[in-house]
Amino acid sequence: MRNQTAPLIRSIGSMDSQRLQAPMNRTNRQLSFTAAKLFATSLALFASAEASSAGSSVPITKNDKQIIDMKEDSVEQATVSTFNSTISLNATISPSLASTANPSASPSSTPSAEPSSPPSSSPTLSSAPSSAPVAYSRPPRVDIRYVPWIDLPADIATTATLLNYTYETWADYGENPIENLNWDRLSRTEKQLAGILGYERQSWNCWQNHYQSLRWIDLDNEGIQSKQWWEALGWDISSWNRYDDPPLSNDKYWYFLSEEERFAAAQLCYFKRTWDEADVYVDGFPMNKPTYRYTNWFDLDDSVRSIASDGLKYDSFLWNVVGLHDLEARDWKHLTPVEQKAAKLLDFSQVSYDCWINHYSGYSWEELQFYGIDFFYAILGWNDQSWAGLEETPKKKSWKQLNEEERMAAIELCYSFETWEGYDMTVNHGPFPFAKPKIRYVQWSVLPEEMQIIANGTLGYTEEKWNNLGSAKIETLGWDDLTDEQQSDAIALGFYKKTWDCFHSHYRPYDWDDLNTSQQDIFRQLGWSEASWFNNETPSSYERRWDRLSDTEQSVANAICYFEDNWDRNNLEEAVQIADTTGSSPMNPTPTQGLDPSVLNNGRRNSANTFQNFFAACCIALSAVVWMIFM
C-alpha cells in the first residue's frame, strides 16, 4: 500500500468488503489534473530545449530529491505521451525515394572510402529490448528487520540507530524517511550500514521501499520487473505520477484485497503488517468470522445443512466438533471444485477458509513465508524443520498457558479460545465435561451391522469385549497412541480425542505433568498422588462399587467421564435386562447420565403404566369440571 502514516492499531466492527480509506504515500499534496497537464507541457518544452543544448548534467543531492522526483515524474509523463502521439512503431518497408529539400551545392572533394550498404528492408526499433525481459524473482526476506527492537543484538541496534531508526520507527513500518529511498539514492555510508543489516540492492528496493521511489518506466528494467505487480494492483503511469487518483486497492486493508491483489502485493514484499501499517482487527480477529461454521448443526437452516452435507460431506458430529473432519486438514487449493463451490455458498473465500478452517496448516513453510504467516507460527515455536516433520514439533500449550504474544499470534491464525482448545458444539445435558458418545453404550445385538463391522476392524471389538465395558485392550490406550486407521474408526463410532481420552482411558495414559491442574485435583480426590500415578498404584477407591462412593467421589468421577456402568464394568446386555424388569437402569440413574431411549430403541415400553397414568389424569380433570358446575 502506498501509505505514509497510519495509527498503530485499528479495531473495526463487522463489515463487508467496503473500501476503507487510507492516506497515500509518496506525495505531500495532490495537484489538480488540469494544473498537472499544464505543468507537464511546460516541463516537456523545457526538456526539449535542454536536450538541444550541450550543457552538462548536475549531480543529484539528497537535499534536492523531492524536487527532482517531481521533475522526473512530469518529464516522464510528457515524454511518454509525446512519444506515443508522434512516433509510429509500424516502420515503412522501404526508404523514401524523394530527394532532400536542400541538396548540397557541390559534391565533396573526396569520395567516401567505400559506399554505404543498402538500407535494410525494415529498420530496427530502439524502443524494443534486445533480449527477453528477465522473469521477476522476489528477493529473500531480511528477517532481522522484523525482530522487535528490544530483542535486537546490541551491534544491530547501533547500526539501525545510525540509519535514523528509533524504537518507534523500527516498529512502525514506513515511518523512517530512509525507507522512501531506493538503493541508488542512499549514500555510501547508508549502503554500508544497510549491508550490515543484510540488505543489498534488490532486497532493499523490495522489502524496504517496495520499488515506490522508482520511476514508472524504470519498473520494467532488467533485474526489477515489478511493474506487472503494481499493474495487478490497478496502478498505471498516471496514478503512479499522481495525475489520477490511486486505484481502489490502495484504500483496502490486507484481507480485503482480492486473491490476485494480495498475491501481487506479496510479490512486492508486502505482508499484512507492512501493507496495513497497523494491526487491523475485525471484532478482535484479522478478518470477519464465518457466518455459519460456528453455529450448531441443528440450528442451521435445512438449505445450509444440505450444502454442508452434499458438497462438503459433513454430518452433525463432524460439523459440531470443529477440526474433526479430514476436509479441514486441507487448504483451499487442495479442495475439489465441488468442495470449493460449496464452501463459497457457505460464505467462505479462499483466505477466510484457509484462516478460519485450516489455520494455514495445509501451507508449505515457503507459502507461509510468502504471505508473512510464518512469523506467527514461529512465535508458537515452529520452524521450517519442525513444519516439514524433520524435527520434533513444539508441544502445544493450553490457551491459559499461552503468553500474550503467543495468544496474539494464535488470533492472527484465526484461533479463538474455543477453537484452540477444541470446539465441540454438541449439546451436553450430562454431568460429564463432554457429551456422552451414546452409540458406544448400545448392546452389540442392536448395534447396526455397519457399526459392528467398524468396531470389529482395527479397534478389535468382539461382541463379548463390546458388551463388557472396559475389557477391550484398545480402551486402555490414549487417543494419541491409536494409529490413523484406529482413530478414523473411532470417529465413525462417535469418538474424538477428548471423548476417547475421557470416556475410555480416563487420562491414565497421560503423564502426571500432562494433566492440567483441575484434572490433577480430581485424581487427588480419588486417592491418587503424583508418586502413585507414576508407579501405577491404583487407590482403594477404585475397589469400591459405584453405590459405595461418596457423593463427592461420584461427582469428581463424573468429571473424568465415569458413571455407574463403566466404573463397575457392567455388562450392557445385563444392564438392559435390568431396565426391562425394573423400569430403571444402572446405565441410566438420571436422564442426563444414561442412554438416549431412542438410541437403545428396544421397543419395550411400559404401555400399561402409560395408559393408567393417562386415565387417572382424565378422571381428575372430569372431577374438577363437575365441582365447578355444581358448586
Side-chain angles (χ1 to χ4, degrees):
M1 177 186 269
R2 303 186 83 199
N3 292 23
Q4 186 172 0
T5 58
L8 181 60
I9 296 178
R10 297 190 186 97
S11 181
I12 49 183
S14 296
M15 55 187 171
D16 51 22
S17 59
Q18 75 265 33
R19 293 198 295 120
L20 302 174
Q21 186 66 35
M24 190 181 95
N25 191 12
R26 203 174 169 268
T27 183
N28 296 322
R29 57 195 178 96
Q30 291 287 336
L31 298 175
S32 68
F33 185 69
T34 303
K37 287 176 65 179
L38 293 174
F39 185 55
T41 302
S42 63
L43 283 177
L45 294 175
F46 174 77
S48 177
E50 285 290 326
S52 63
S53 66
S56 60
S57 60
V58 180
I60 298 174
T61 64
K62 289 186 66 174
N63 294 332
D64 297 330
K65 283 170 184 174
Q66 288 186 339
I67 299 174
I68 293 171
D69 273 348
M70 292 292 293
K71 288 185 177 180
E72 283 182 346
D73 291 342
S74 301
V75 172
E76 173 191 349
Q77 175 78 12
T79 304
V80 172
S81 300
T82 304
F83 180 80
N84 289 335
S85 61
T86 61
I87 298 179
S88 172
L89 294 181
N90 297 321
T92 56
I93 302 301
S94 59
S96 173
L97 300 178
S99 60
T100 57
N102 297 308
S104 59
S106 61
S108 60
S109 59
T110 57
S112 59
E114 60 182 38
S116 60
S117 59
S120 59
S121 59
S122 59
T124 57
L125 300 177
S126 60
S127 60
S130 58
S131 60
V134 179
Y136 178 84
S137 177
R138 193 179 81 166
R141 190 176 66 199
V142 181
D143 284 341
I144 194 66
R145 175 63 185 88
Y146 309 105
V147 173
W149 182 268
I150 59 174
D151 296 330
L152 289 176
D155 58 330
I156 297 297
T158 300
T159 301
T161 301
L162 293 174
L163 286 170
N164 295 323
Y165 279 104
T166 64
Y167 176 88
E168 290 77 15
T169 58
W170 186 262
D172 297 343
Y173 306 116
E175 286 298 305
N176 189 343
I178 199 171
E179 296 180 6
N180 294 327
L181 304 176
N182 63 57
W183 182 264
D184 291 336
R185 294 188 175 183
L186 299 180
S187 69
R188 179 178 299 178
T189 300
E190 289 170 337
K191 290 177 181 177
Q192 292 174 344
L193 294 170
I196 295 174
L197 296 181
Y199 287 101
E200 38 72 44
R201 180 188 303 274
Q202 285 77 17
S203 57
W204 179 275
N205 285 343
C206 191
W207 288 101
Q208 290 283 69
N209 184 250
H210 311 286
Y211 309 104
Q212 289 192 90
S213 68
L214 296 179
R215 299 182 305 167
W216 182 258
I217 59 175
D218 293 334
L219 294 178
D220 256 349
N221 287 353
E222 184 175 343
I224 300 177
Q225 297 295 321
S226 62
K227 182 190 289 186
Q228 56 185 316
W229 308 121
W230 283 110
E231 288 177 333
L233 289 166
W235 293 86
D236 57 25
I237 189 171
S238 295
S239 54
W240 190 263
N241 291 330
R242 303 179 303 281
Y243 299 119
D244 283 343
D245 290 335
L248 298 181
S249 65
N250 199 59
D251 298 336
K252 298 177 184 177
Y253 290 123
W254 181 254
Y255 284 122
F256 290 93
L257 295 171
S258 68
E259 301 298 333
E260 295 76 15
E261 290 170 338
R262 195 179 306 108
F263 179 82
Q267 290 284 15
L268 295 168
C269 299
Y270 282 107
F271 52 89
K272 179 179 181 288
R273 186 65 176 80
T274 55
W275 177 269
D276 292 340
E277 296 184 344
D279 290 319
V280 179
Y281 296 105
V282 183
D283 294 334
F285 294 99
M287 65 188 74
N288 284 318
K289 196 173 182 179
T291 307
Y292 305 109
R293 181 62 190 92
Y294 299 107
T295 301
N296 187 289
W297 177 265
F298 298 104
D299 293 332
L300 297 172
D301 292 339
D302 291 341
S303 59
V304 176
R305 286 203 298 265
S306 178
I307 294 169
S309 175
D310 297 340
L312 299 172
K313 306 305 178 187
Y314 276 105
D315 57 26
S316 59
F317 180 52
L318 294 178
W319 180 271
N320 281 340
V321 182
V322 174
L324 190 59
H325 196 344
D326 58 5
L327 172 137
E328 298 184 5
R330 289 184 276 141
D331 63 320
W332 182 270
K333 67 178 178 294
H334 289 110
L335 299 181
T336 66
V338 172
E339 291 168 339
Q340 289 182 0
K341 181 179 179 181
K344 288 178 180 178
L345 292 174
L346 294 178
D347 287 343
F348 280 108
S349 63
Q350 178 174 341
V351 68
S352 65
Y353 181 92
D354 284 347
C355 191
W356 283 103
I357 300 300
N358 184 252
H359 308 288
Y360 309 106
S361 63
Y363 284 33
S364 67
W365 191 258
E366 290 73 20
E367 289 174 311
L368 294 178
Q369 285 183 319
F370 183 74
Y371 288 106
I373 302 167
D374 64 308
F375 288 124
F376 309 123
Y377 272 110
I379 291 172
L380 296 171
W382 293 87
N383 58 38
D384 58 338
Q385 298 297 301
S386 57
W387 192 261
L390 301 178
E391 65 181 39
E392 186 177 358
T393 59
K395 183 178 178 181
K396 185 176 180 180
K397 302 177 182 179
S398 69
W399 189 263
K400 269 186 183 178
Q401 293 172 325
L402 297 177
N403 60 38
E404 183 178 357
E405 183 185 24
E406 291 169 334
R407 285 189 187 181
M408 291 307 300
I411 287 172
E412 289 286 353
L413 300 171
C414 293
Y415 279 108
S416 62
F417 167 77
E418 293 83 4
T419 56
W420 182 266
E421 296 290 344
Y423 193 23
D424 187 350
M425 295 180 284
T426 307
V427 176
N428 179 18
H429 295 299
F432 315 111
F434 318 107
K436 181 192 284 187
K438 296 176 182 178
I439 194 69
R440 172 62 189 89
Y441 305 104
V442 175
Q443 65 270 32
W444 184 270
S445 59
V446 298
L447 198 66
E449 183 179 358
E450 61 272 17
M451 291 296 183
Q452 290 181 357
I453 294 173
I454 293 171
N456 187 239
T458 62
L459 300 176
Y461 281 107
T462 62
E463 181 173 3
E464 180 181 3
K465 290 180 179 179
W466 180 271
N467 284 334
N468 290 297
L469 297 178
S471 64
K473 183 179 179 180
I474 194 74
E475 296 182 1
T476 65
L477 302 178
W479 180 265
D480 293 336
D481 299 322
L482 302 180
T483 66
D484 292 342
E485 293 79 8
Q486 288 171 331
Q487 288 182 0
S488 179
D489 286 346
I491 290 172
L493 294 177
F495 283 94
Y496 67 103
K497 178 177 173 61
K498 287 188 173 183
T499 53
W500 181 277
D501 286 345
C502 192
F503 282 95
H504 272 173
S505 67
H506 308 285
Y507 307 106
R508 282 295 292 119
Y510 284 42
D511 291 335
W512 182 262
D513 292 337
D514 291 336
L515 301 172
N516 61 44
T517 304
S518 298
Q519 290 169 335
Q520 290 178 356
D521 290 341
I522 289 169
F523 282 109
R524 286 193 182 97
Q525 293 186 64
L526 290 173
W528 292 94
S529 67
E530 183 174 358
S532 63
W533 187 272
F534 178 79
N535 295 319
N536 200 25
E537 298 171 353
T538 306
S540 60
S541 60
Y542 280 69
E543 298 174 1
R544 285 181 276 151
R545 293 185 62 82
W546 181 263
D547 57 6
R548 297 300 180 91
L549 296 177
S550 67
D551 291 343
T552 299
E553 289 173 327
Q554 288 185 2
S555 177
V556 295
N558 285 156
I560 53 174
C561 298
Y562 276 113
F563 53 96
E564 183 170 358
D565 279 283
N566 64 0
W567 180 273
D568 291 339
R569 298 195 171 193
N570 289 335
N571 181 281
L572 291 177
E573 293 286 355
E574 294 175 0
V576 173
Q577 290 175 4
I578 294 173
D580 289 341
T581 56
T582 65
S584 63
S585 170
M587 284 282 290
N588 192 19
T590 65
T592 62
Q593 195 174 2
L595 293 172
D596 186 342
S598 64
V599 174
L600 287 173
N601 196 22
N602 294 326
R604 303 169 183 173
R605 298 183 182 275
N606 196 336
S607 58
N609 288 340
T610 303
F611 177 77
Q612 290 173 1
N613 292 338
F614 176 73
F615 182 76
C618 290
C619 291
I620 293 173
L622 182 61
S623 299
V625 172
V626 172
W627 184 84
M628 292 176 64
I629 293 174
F630 291 100
M631 295 301 293

